[in-house]
Amino acid sequence: MIQGDLKVAAPIRWAMVGGGRGSQIGYIHRCAALRDNSFQLVAGAFDIDPERGREFGQALRVAPERCYPDYQTLFAEEAKRPDGIQAVSIATPNGTHYAICQAALEAGLHVVCEKPLCFSVEEAEVLHDLAERQNRFVGVTYGYAGHQLIRQAREMIAAGELGEIRMVHMQFAHGFHSEAVEAANPSTRWRVDPKHAGPSYVLGDLATHPFYIVEAMLPELRISRLLCARQSFVTSRAPLEDNAYVLMEYEGGVMGHLWASAVNAGSMHGQKVRVIGSRASLEWWDERPNQLRYEVQGEPVRLLERGMDYLYPEAREDDRIGSGHPEGLFEAWANLYARFALAMEAMDCGDTGAIETLAVPDIHAGVEGVRWVAHCVRSAEAGGVWVDYH
Ligand code: NAD
């Protein structure tokens, strides 16, 4: 079921803050947002350096007068235009998200924010309340969740194909920062500096991805308590961790385990989610995102492939090029951005019910990611002890 249709009635007038030339994540935001004509890039404050930002914006064919020196000017000037922006994506270092997101919501804009939404639960709740008051959508780019087979897993679990869920294992453990690469790489340097990265490194930067994938697959699951131990194997990174283990107890007796690492030497990406039930298990690995392992106890392993007719319709809804051809991160992000656009459109029309069916990482997912990191840090700081979750 190849989906080539445009999803929204009219493209949403869209800007970016950050995501300038050479940034790690700016390009994929633009590729994803522009893929289905759901958004139209009309303005931006792309760089911390105003001149570089202006030059880059123009290279992206944004009108020179709409390439602004900073986000404050962007929001103020766009509000004066009859054709001003309706939405903004924030792709700046973590320490700036809270202020920019707050300013964007106050300016009446829909927001797509990079993770983490902010640093503390208190800040996250302020953003949550503000979004509600302003009736604006906030999406968080847990991009991997846009892979079709994540939706397939959700439907299989809901249909009881795994039996009763017993355990969830999550990991995001790469090896790219096994040495102090930050000495020569500014994009990594801020990630290990609490002023810019917040209270954690790999917990916030990496672990929140598989953590959200589990939320997407098992939306009813609620953590009751957790225990976290974190380490800085490259000692100059302390107090921020480059490796962490988290044990979780969920309501109803489900157990969870998460390993996050940037020092898993030799590993490329190492992001995996395994859900184990009384009858069968599912496993998804982001290095083979087009396959979902379905292992029924006592039967041969099945590899479910993206795009096939045997998948649930909810998963095939995202299909772009049919079976056989591989899809990847660009398509996953584009699926997410397409749903963000639908959520923004639904919100503008007052159709909040439609948003519920989209299974999209929204403000609640953003708040939950911040809350989870805060509890992990609290447990680790206390010496790796169990802490109640709510
Ligand atoms: P980066 O350091 O490579 O790029 C940051 C960009 O933001 C640069 O262009 C910089 O000039 C610009 N910038 C900084 N402060 C700004 C400001 N106040 N106003 C305007 N522009 C500003 O960082 P990155 O790796 O691209 O990460 C950016 C964000 O994306 C971070 O929050 C990071 O956690 C997140 N990220 C998410 C994913 C994902 O999979 N969702 C992957 C990588 C990074």
Side-chain angles (χ1 to χ4, degrees), residues 74-116:
L74 164 71
F75 299 156
E77 292 303 313
E78 285 293 313
K80 295 176 189 162
R81 299 179 62 109
D83 62 348
I85 55 169
Q86 300 162 290
V88 65
S89 288
I90 303 167
T92 52
N94 303 356
T96 62
H97 294 175
Y98 177 64
I100 303 174
C101 192
Q102 195 174 31
L105 288 169
E106 275 163 2
L109 299 171
H110 295 298
V111 178
V112 174
C113 188
E114 264 305 344
K115 37 64 48 179

mmCIF file of all heavy atoms in Angstrom, residues 74-116:
data_model
loop_
_atom_site.group_PDB
_atom_site.id
_atom_site.type_symbol
_atom_site.label_atom_id
_atom_site.label_comp_id
_atom_site.label_asym_id
_atom_site.label_seq_id
_atom_site.Cartn_x
_atom_site.Cartn_y
_atom_site.Cartn_z
ATOM 1 N N LEU A 74 13.122 36.592 14.935
ATOM 2 C CA LEU A 74 12.336 35.718 14.044
ATOM 3 C C LEU A 74 10.870 35.717 14.462
ATOM 4 O O LEU A 74 9.971 35.975 13.643
ATOM 5 C CB LEU A 74 12.915 34.296 14.098
ATOM 6 C CG LEU A 74 12.054 33.149 13.566
ATOM 7 C CD1 LEU A 74 11.944 33.196 12.047
ATOM 8 C CD2 LEU A 74 12.640 31.787 13.972
ATOM 9 N N PHE A 75 10.600 35.450 15.744
ATOM 10 C CA PHE A 75 9.208 35.339 16.188
ATOM 11 C C PHE A 75 8.507 36.710 16.110
ATOM 12 O O PHE A 75 7.355 36.794 15.686
ATOM 13 C CB PHE A 75 9.127 34.780 17.613
ATOM 14 C CG PHE A 75 9.707 33.379 17.758
ATOM 15 C CD1 PHE A 75 10.174 32.915 18.980
ATOM 16 C CD2 PHE A 75 9.784 32.537 16.662
ATOM 17 C CE1 PHE A 75 10.709 31.637 19.106
ATOM 18 C CE2 PHE A 75 10.317 31.256 16.768
ATOM 19 C CZ PHE A 75 10.784 30.808 18.002
ATOM 20 N N ALA A 76 9.221 37.780 16.522
ATOM 21 C CA ALA A 76 8.596 39.114 16.537
ATOM 22 C C ALA A 76 8.270 39.575 15.117
ATOM 23 O O ALA A 76 7.165 40.056 14.842
ATOM 24 C CB ALA A 76 9.519 40.109 17.235
ATOM 25 N N GLU A 77 9.210 39.444 14.204
ATOM 26 C CA GLU A 77 9.002 39.949 12.837
ATOM 27 C C GLU A 77 7.984 39.112 12.068
ATOM 28 O O GLU A 77 7.172 39.645 11.313
ATOM 29 C CB GLU A 77 10.339 39.986 12.081
ATOM 30 C CG GLU A 77 11.321 41.026 12.618
ATOM 31 C CD GLU A 77 10.737 42.439 12.615
ATOM 32 O OE1 GLU A 77 10.152 42.846 11.592
ATOM 33 O OE2 GLU A 77 10.839 43.119 13.665
ATOM 34 N N GLU A 78 8.026 37.813 12.259
ATOM 35 C CA GLU A 78 7.091 36.945 11.530
ATOM 36 C C GLU A 78 5.653 37.191 11.980
ATOM 37 O O GLU A 78 4.718 37.068 11.199
ATOM 38 C CB GLU A 78 7.482 35.473 11.708
ATOM 39 C CG GLU A 78 8.705 35.079 10.889
ATOM 40 C CD GLU A 78 8.454 35.112 9.382
ATOM 41 O OE1 GLU A 78 7.432 34.594 8.928
ATOM 42 O OE2 GLU A 78 9.297 35.686 8.656
ATOM 43 N N ALA A 79 5.489 37.557 13.280
ATOM 44 C CA ALA A 79 4.139 37.804 13.811
ATOM 45 C C ALA A 79 3.499 39.014 13.138
ATOM 46 O O ALA A 79 2.274 39.142 13.103
ATOM 47 C CB ALA A 79 4.204 38.012 15.322
ATOM 48 N N LYS A 80 4.333 39.901 12.576
ATOM 49 C CA LYS A 80 3.795 41.108 11.934
ATOM 50 C C LYS A 80 3.323 40.840 10.500
ATOM 51 O O LYS A 80 2.665 41.677 9.910
ATOM 52 C CB LYS A 80 4.885 42.192 11.880
ATOM 53 C CG LYS A 80 5.317 42.695 13.250
ATOM 54 C CD LYS A 80 6.459 43.697 13.072
ATOM 55 C CE LYS A 80 7.089 44.068 14.398
ATOM 56 N NZ LYS A 80 8.424 44.664 14.218
ATOM 57 N N ARG A 81 3.710 39.705 9.943
ATOM 58 C CA ARG A 81 3.411 39.446 8.523
ATOM 59 C C ARG A 81 2.086 38.712 8.363
ATOM 60 O O ARG A 81 1.791 37.790 9.137
ATOM 61 C CB ARG A 81 4.508 38.561 7.912
ATOM 62 C CG ARG A 81 5.891 39.144 7.937
ATOM 63 C CD ARG A 81 6.860 38.133 7.331
ATOM 64 N NE ARG A 81 6.530 37.851 5.952
ATOM 65 C CZ ARG A 81 7.254 38.258 4.905
ATOM 66 N NH1 ARG A 81 8.362 38.936 5.095
ATOM 67 N NH2 ARG A 81 6.878 37.964 3.680
ATOM 68 N N PRO A 82 1.306 39.057 7.337
ATOM 69 C CA PRO A 82 0.071 38.291 7.101
ATOM 70 C C PRO A 82 0.383 36.841 6.707
ATOM 71 O O PRO A 82 -0.417 35.949 6.952
ATOM 72 C CB PRO A 82 -0.588 39.050 5.937
ATOM 73 C CG PRO A 82 0.477 39.905 5.340
ATOM 74 C CD PRO A 82 1.503 40.166 6.394
ATOM 75 N N ASP A 83 1.576 36.649 6.107
ATOM 76 C CA ASP A 83 1.969 35.289 5.712
ATOM 77 C C ASP A 83 3.060 34.758 6.647
ATOM 78 O O ASP A 83 3.939 34.008 6.246
ATOM 79 C CB ASP A 83 2.487 35.287 4.267
ATOM 80 C CG ASP A 83 3.735 36.166 4.113
ATOM 81 O OD1 ASP A 83 4.057 36.939 5.054
ATOM 82 O OD2 ASP A 83 4.415 36.062 3.070
ATOM 83 N N GLY A 84 3.007 35.154 7.919
ATOM 84 C CA GLY A 84 4.044 34.750 8.886
ATOM 85 C C GLY A 84 4.030 33.260 9.179
ATOM 86 O O GLY A 84 3.068 32.555 8.845
ATOM 87 N N ILE A 85 5.072 32.795 9.822
ATOM 88 C CA ILE A 85 5.205 31.346 10.088
ATOM 89 C C ILE A 85 4.111 30.855 11.026
ATOM 90 O O ILE A 85 3.612 31.589 11.870
ATOM 91 C CB ILE A 85 6.592 31.005 10.682
ATOM 92 C CG1 ILE A 85 6.892 31.834 11.945
ATOM 93 C CG2 ILE A 85 7.673 31.157 9.640
ATOM 94 C CD1 ILE A 85 8.102 31.353 12.718
ATOM 95 N N GLN A 86 3.784 29.566 10.846
ATOM 96 C CA GLN A 86 2.788 28.902 11.699
ATOM 97 C C GLN A 86 3.447 27.894 12.638
ATOM 98 O O GLN A 86 2.849 27.481 13.626
ATOM 99 C CB GLN A 86 1.769 28.164 10.824
ATOM 100 C CG GLN A 86 1.009 29.067 9.870
ATOM 101 C CD GLN A 86 0.365 28.257 8.752
ATOM 102 O OE1 GLN A 86 1.048 27.722 7.885
ATOM 103 N NE2 GLN A 86 -0.946 28.151 8.784
ATOM 104 N N ALA A 87 4.660 27.468 12.282
ATOM 105 C CA ALA A 87 5.335 26.434 13.076
ATOM 106 C C ALA A 87 6.840 26.640 13.001
ATOM 107 O O ALA A 87 7.351 27.232 12.042
ATOM 108 C CB ALA A 87 4.985 25.050 12.536
ATOM 109 N N VAL A 88 7.532 26.125 14.040
ATOM 110 C CA VAL A 88 8.988 26.242 14.060
ATOM 111 C C VAL A 88 9.590 24.952 14.596
ATOM 112 O O VAL A 88 9.013 24.302 15.476
ATOM 113 C CB VAL A 88 9.428 27.449 14.929
ATOM 114 C CG1 VAL A 88 9.061 27.264 16.395
ATOM 115 C CG2 VAL A 88 10.927 27.724 14.814
ATOM 116 N N SER A 89 10.731 24.571 14.038
ATOM 117 C CA SER A 89 11.493 23.453 14.595
ATOM 118 C C SER A 89 12.723 23.986 15.304
ATOM 119 O O SER A 89 13.388 24.902 14.793
ATOM 120 C CB SER A 89 11.925 22.487 13.492
ATOM 121 O OG SER A 89 10.804 21.785 13.020
ATOM 122 N N ILE A 90 13.010 23.413 16.462
ATOM 123 C CA ILE A 90 14.145 23.860 17.281
ATOM 124 C C ILE A 90 15.216 22.778 17.245
ATOM 125 O O ILE A 90 15.014 21.672 17.757
ATOM 126 C CB ILE A 90 13.678 24.133 18.732
ATOM 127 C CG1 ILE A 90 12.543 25.171 18.729
ATOM 128 C CG2 ILE A 90 14.844 24.578 19.602
ATOM 129 C CD1 ILE A 90 11.810 25.285 20.061
ATOM 130 N N ALA A 91 16.337 23.088 16.611
ATOM 131 C CA ALA A 91 17.418 22.105 16.458
ATOM 132 C C ALA A 91 18.731 22.732 16.922
ATOM 133 O O ALA A 91 19.712 22.799 16.180
ATOM 134 C CB ALA A 91 17.496 21.648 15.008
ATOM 135 N N THR A 92 18.702 23.209 18.152
ATOM 136 C CA THR A 92 19.855 23.861 18.774
ATOM 137 C C THR A 92 20.351 22.980 19.917
ATOM 138 O O THR A 92 19.653 22.043 20.322
ATOM 139 C CB THR A 92 19.418 25.222 19.346
ATOM 140 O OG1 THR A 92 18.267 24.988 20.177
ATOM 141 C CG2 THR A 92 19.052 26.203 18.266
ATOM 142 N N PRO A 93 21.513 23.281 20.499
ATOM 143 C CA PRO A 93 21.957 22.495 21.663
ATOM 144 C C PRO A 93 20.940 22.537 22.806
ATOM 145 O O PRO A 93 20.167 23.504 22.952
ATOM 146 C CB PRO A 93 23.280 23.158 22.044
ATOM 147 C CG PRO A 93 23.783 23.728 20.746
ATOM 148 C CD PRO A 93 22.548 24.200 20.025
ATOM 149 N N ASN A 94 20.962 21.478 23.626
ATOM 150 C CA ASN A 94 19.912 21.228 24.626
ATOM 151 C C ASN A 94 19.596 22.411 25.550
ATOM 152 O O ASN A 94 18.440 22.652 25.871
ATOM 153 C CB ASN A 94 20.315 20.047 25.514
ATOM 154 C CG ASN A 94 20.575 18.794 24.706
ATOM 155 O OD1 ASN A 94 20.384 18.784 23.493
ATOM 156 N ND2 ASN A 94 21.014 17.737 25.365
ATOM 157 N N GLY A 95 20.656 23.116 25.964
ATOM 158 C CA GLY A 95 20.487 24.166 26.966
ATOM 159 C C GLY A 95 19.620 25.321 26.505
ATOM 160 O O GLY A 95 19.194 26.141 27.317
ATOM 161 N N THR A 96 19.325 25.397 25.211
ATOM 162 C CA THR A 96 18.533 26.507 24.677
ATOM 163 C C THR A 96 17.071 26.128 24.432
ATOM 164 O O THR A 96 16.247 26.992 24.161
ATOM 165 C CB THR A 96 19.126 26.988 23.326
ATOM 166 O OG1 THR A 96 19.044 25.886 22.395
ATOM 167 C CG2 THR A 96 20.576 27.404 23.449
ATOM 168 N N HIS A 97 16.740 24.841 24.516
ATOM 169 C CA HIS A 97 15.399 24.385 24.094
ATOM 170 C C HIS A 97 14.282 25.042 24.897
ATOM 171 O O HIS A 97 13.266 25.460 24.332
ATOM 172 C CB HIS A 97 15.269 22.858 24.227
ATOM 173 C CG HIS A 97 16.152 22.096 23.303
ATOM 174 N ND1 HIS A 97 16.272 20.731 23.332
ATOM 175 C CD2 HIS A 97 16.988 22.506 22.308
ATOM 176 C CE1 HIS A 97 17.122 20.325 22.406
ATOM 177 N NE2 HIS A 97 17.573 21.390 21.777
ATOM 178 N N TYR A 98 14.474 25.097 26.216
ATOM 179 C CA TYR A 98 13.387 25.592 27.077
ATOM 180 C C TYR A 98 12.999 27.021 26.690
ATOM 181 O O TYR A 98 11.821 27.307 26.430
ATOM 182 C CB TYR A 98 13.819 25.514 28.545
ATOM 183 C CG TYR A 98 12.791 26.068 29.499
ATOM 184 C CD1 TYR A 98 11.537 25.472 29.616
ATOM 185 C CD2 TYR A 98 13.073 27.182 30.286
ATOM 186 C CE1 TYR A 98 10.583 25.978 30.490
ATOM 187 C CE2 TYR A 98 12.126 27.688 31.157
ATOM 188 C CZ TYR A 98 10.882 27.086 31.258
ATOM 189 O OH TYR A 98 9.943 27.580 32.119
ATOM 190 N N ALA A 99 14.001 27.909 26.627
ATOM 191 C CA ALA A 99 13.705 29.325 26.351
ATOM 192 C C ALA A 99 13.100 29.494 24.955
ATOM 193 O O ALA A 99 12.140 30.259 24.767
ATOM 194 C CB ALA A 99 14.983 30.157 26.482
ATOM 195 N N ILE A 100 13.637 28.767 23.986
ATOM 196 C CA ILE A 100 13.146 28.946 22.602
ATOM 197 C C ILE A 100 11.734 28.370 22.467
ATOM 198 O O ILE A 100 10.856 28.975 21.847
ATOM 199 C CB ILE A 100 14.118 28.311 21.572
ATOM 200 C CG1 ILE A 100 15.530 28.911 21.712
ATOM 201 C CG2 ILE A 100 13.602 28.508 20.151
ATOM 202 C CD1 ILE A 100 16.597 28.266 20.842
ATOM 203 N N CYS A 101 11.516 27.221 23.078
ATOM 204 C CA CYS A 101 10.198 26.576 23.007
ATOM 205 C C CYS A 101 9.148 27.466 23.686
ATOM 206 O O CYS A 101 8.039 27.661 23.158
ATOM 207 C CB CYS A 101 10.285 25.215 23.691
ATOM 208 S SG CYS A 101 8.875 24.186 23.378
ATOM 209 N N GLN A 102 9.510 28.008 24.839
ATOM 210 C CA GLN A 102 8.596 28.894 25.564
ATOM 211 C C GLN A 102 8.249 30.117 24.710
ATOM 212 O O GLN A 102 7.081 30.478 24.557
ATOM 213 C CB GLN A 102 9.267 29.319 26.866
ATOM 214 C CG GLN A 102 8.324 29.941 27.862
ATOM 215 C CD GLN A 102 9.004 30.202 29.196
ATOM 216 O OE1 GLN A 102 10.222 30.468 29.238
ATOM 217 N NE2 GLN A 102 8.270 30.125 30.273
ATOM 218 N N ALA A 103 9.281 30.727 24.122
ATOM 219 C CA ALA A 103 9.058 31.924 23.304
ATOM 220 C C ALA A 103 8.196 31.582 22.080
ATOM 221 O O ALA A 103 7.324 32.362 21.684
ATOM 222 C CB ALA A 103 10.394 32.515 22.865
ATOM 223 N N ALA A 104 8.414 30.415 21.492
ATOM 224 C CA ALA A 104 7.647 30.018 20.302
ATOM 225 C C ALA A 104 6.173 29.814 20.656
ATOM 226 O O ALA A 104 5.280 30.260 19.931
ATOM 227 C CB ALA A 104 8.229 28.740 19.704
ATOM 228 N N LEU A 105 5.929 29.161 21.776
ATOM 229 C CA LEU A 105 4.537 28.937 22.186
ATOM 230 C C LEU A 105 3.863 30.259 22.522
ATOM 231 O O LEU A 105 2.704 30.492 22.169
ATOM 232 C CB LEU A 105 4.488 27.985 23.384
ATOM 233 C CG LEU A 105 4.812 26.516 23.064
ATOM 234 C CD1 LEU A 105 5.003 25.709 24.348
ATOM 235 C CD2 LEU A 105 3.725 25.887 22.202
ATOM 236 N N GLU A 106 4.610 31.141 23.193
ATOM 237 C CA GLU A 106 4.037 32.453 23.523
ATOM 238 C C GLU A 106 3.714 33.238 22.257
ATOM 239 O O GLU A 106 2.778 34.032 22.233
ATOM 240 C CB GLU A 106 4.989 33.236 24.433
ATOM 241 C CG GLU A 106 4.765 32.851 25.898
ATOM 242 C CD GLU A 106 5.894 33.240 26.823
ATOM 243 O OE1 GLU A 106 6.878 33.858 26.359
ATOM 244 O OE2 GLU A 106 5.793 32.899 28.022
ATOM 245 N N ALA A 107 4.489 32.984 21.192
ATOM 246 C CA ALA A 107 4.217 33.660 19.913
ATOM 247 C C ALA A 107 3.090 32.958 19.144
ATOM 248 O O ALA A 107 2.785 33.325 18.008
ATOM 249 C CB ALA A 107 5.495 33.693 19.067
ATOM 250 N N GLY A 108 2.500 31.931 19.740
ATOM 251 C CA GLY A 108 1.348 31.265 19.116
ATOM 252 C C GLY A 108 1.726 30.261 18.042
ATOM 253 O O GLY A 108 0.911 29.943 17.172
ATOM 254 N N LEU A 109 2.952 29.740 18.103
ATOM 255 C CA LEU A 109 3.412 28.813 17.060
ATOM 256 C C LEU A 109 3.282 27.356 17.508
ATOM 257 O O LEU A 109 3.421 27.056 18.691
ATOM 258 C CB LEU A 109 4.887 29.094 16.739
ATOM 259 C CG LEU A 109 5.191 30.497 16.211
ATOM 260 C CD1 LEU A 109 6.703 30.714 16.149
ATOM 261 C CD2 LEU A 109 4.569 30.689 14.819
ATOM 262 N N HIS A 110 3.046 26.484 16.551
ATOM 263 C CA HIS A 110 3.251 25.055 16.781
ATOM 264 C C HIS A 110 4.759 24.826 16.805
ATOM 265 O O HIS A 110 5.513 25.531 16.124
ATOM 266 C CB HIS A 110 2.652 24.224 15.646
ATOM 267 C CG HIS A 110 1.157 24.317 15.541
ATOM 268 N ND1 HIS A 110 0.321 23.896 16.543
ATOM 269 C CD2 HIS A 110 0.354 24.773 14.541
ATOM 270 C CE1 HIS A 110 -0.942 24.076 16.160
ATOM 271 N NE2 HIS A 110 -0.945 24.621 14.953
ATOM 272 N N VAL A 111 5.181 23.792 17.560
ATOM 273 C CA VAL A 111 6.620 23.585 17.752
ATOM 274 C C VAL A 111 7.000 22.127 17.499
ATOM 275 O O VAL A 111 6.280 21.212 17.892
ATOM 276 C CB VAL A 111 7.016 23.943 19.210
ATOM 277 C CG1 VAL A 111 8.498 23.687 19.448
ATOM 278 C CG2 VAL A 111 6.677 25.390 19.536
ATOM 279 N N VAL A 112 8.141 21.945 16.838
ATOM 280 C CA VAL A 112 8.812 20.643 16.843
ATOM 281 C C VAL A 112 10.125 20.884 17.557
ATOM 282 O O VAL A 112 10.921 21.734 17.126
ATOM 283 C CB VAL A 112 9.070 20.123 15.409
ATOM 284 C CG1 VAL A 112 9.893 18.844 15.450
ATOM 285 C CG2 VAL A 112 7.747 19.888 14.679
ATOM 286 N N CYS A 113 10.332 20.186 18.666
ATOM 287 C CA CYS A 113 11.539 20.450 19.461
ATOM 288 C C CYS A 113 12.415 19.207 19.504
ATOM 289 O O CYS A 113 11.918 18.084 19.614
ATOM 290 C CB CYS A 113 11.139 20.864 20.881
ATOM 291 S SG CYS A 113 12.549 21.436 21.851
ATOM 292 N N GLU A 114 13.705 19.442 19.431
ATOM 293 C CA GLU A 114 14.642 18.342 19.624
ATOM 294 C C GLU A 114 14.580 17.872 21.070
ATOM 295 O O GLU A 114 14.204 18.614 21.969
ATOM 296 C CB GLU A 114 16.068 18.789 19.277
ATOM 297 C CG GLU A 114 16.483 18.434 17.875
ATOM 298 C CD GLU A 114 16.322 16.934 17.575
ATOM 299 O OE1 GLU A 114 16.191 16.129 18.506
ATOM 300 O OE2 GLU A 114 16.299 16.577 16.393
ATOM 301 N N LYS A 115 14.984 16.616 21.283
ATOM 302 C CA LYS A 115 15.058 16.115 22.644
ATOM 303 C C LYS A 115 16.396 16.541 23.233
ATOM 304 O O LYS A 115 17.350 16.702 22.458
ATOM 305 C CB LYS A 115 14.867 14.606 22.746
ATOM 306 C CG LYS A 115 15.446 13.740 21.648
ATOM 307 C CD LYS A 115 16.849 13.620 21.364
ATOM 308 C CE LYS A 115 18.040 13.401 22.059
ATOM 309 N NZ LYS A 115 19.275 13.335 21.355
ATOM 310 N N PRO A 116 16.526 16.707 24.539
ATOM 311 C CA PRO A 116 15.439 16.723 25.498
ATOM 312 C C PRO A 116 14.688 18.044 25.405
ATOM 313 O O PRO A 116 15.278 19.074 25.078
ATOM 314 C CB PRO A 116 16.161 16.597 26.837
ATOM 315 C CG PRO A 116 17.479 17.274 26.605
ATOM 316 C CD PRO A 116 17.834 16.970 25.183
#
